[in-house]
Structures are given as structure tokens and as C-alpha cells.
Amino acid sequence: MIGILTEAQEIRRAVEDGDAEVPESPSAVEPRVITQMLNEMLPHIRVPADATPQEVTHLLATALGPALYTMVSGFTLAFTSLAMAHDEGRTDVSSAEVLQTLALQVEAGRFDEGA
């Protein structure tokens, strides 16, 4: 999740620096990296061919629920961290540095439940 935000920021910087062209529309952006990151975050789901609609719904909810919770929590944490740095008038760190620090804290388990 933090990687997705960081990648989006790198794409924006490349466009601003003239290292990439401005896409005509958001759908024209090459989504390979972000798609790959999302695929890594979301579980693989196997649905039996004879599954009923109710069974499919249950399988999807059970598999996607925790992943979506993690993604929403991650975006919320990133937004809050960036907003706090902004609201505090922090000019000594860039948004990329805030995200990098946050990523290291997450990787170290700082935000794990019960920690």
C-alpha cells in the first residue's frame, strides 16, 4: 500500500521532470507496477465450478475481508501521517521521506495488533 503511494509519487515526479509524458487520461497510465502490488496484497481465490451464488459470496467475503481491511487501514495510516507532517508545517521532510519512514515502521511491526 505504501509502495503504491510511493510509486504514484514517482510517476508524478517523472512527468514533472520531463522524464515521462503526461497521459491523456488516468486510464492511459501504465498500471503494471501498481497492478503487481495489488496482486501481491490480494489473496488468490479458488471457487468450485459447482458453487452456489451464496457460496461464492461467502468465499469472496472471507478471502477479501482481511485484505481490504489491511488496505484501508494502510491508506488511512499513510494519509494521517502525511496530513500530520503537513499540518505541523514540516518542511524538513518530503512526503516521500514520510512514506519511507512509515514503511520501515510497518515492516518492523510497529503497527501490528497487540504491539
Side-chain angles (χ1 to χ4, degrees):
M1 184 288 314
I2 295 170
I4 291 170
L5 294 175
T6 303
E7 183 64 24
Q9 197 170 42
E10 290 302 316
I11 292 169
R12 178 192 58 82
R13 279 202 187 108
V15 169
E16 287 177 355
D17 293 345
D19 296 333
E21 292 183 24
V22 178
E24 294 178 21
S25 71
S27 63
V29 174
E30 185 61 48
R32 281 182 285 181
V33 174
I34 294 172
T35 299
Q36 180 182 352
M37 289 179 188
L38 283 172
N39 285 337
E40 290 172 5
M41 293 176 72
L42 295 173
H44 296 280
I45 303 168
R46 290 181 183 243
V47 178
D50 61 345
T52 66
Q54 293 81 6
E55 291 170 331
V56 172
T57 301
H58 178 73
L59 285 169
L60 290 174
T62 302
L64 293 176
L68 293 175
Y69 174 82
T70 299
M71 289 172 63
V72 169
S73 297
F75 279 113
T76 302
L77 179 60
F79 173 81
T80 302
S81 298
L82 290 166
M84 286 175 58
H86 174 270
D87 292 349
E88 292 170 359
R90 300 277 313 266
T91 58
D92 59 320
V93 294
S94 68
S95 55
E97 291 169 324
V98 171
L99 291 173
Q100 289 169 352
T101 300
L102 183 59
L104 291 172
Q105 292 172 345
V106 168
E107 189 173 312
R110 177 168 177 214
F111 301 101
D112 289 347
E113 290 186 35

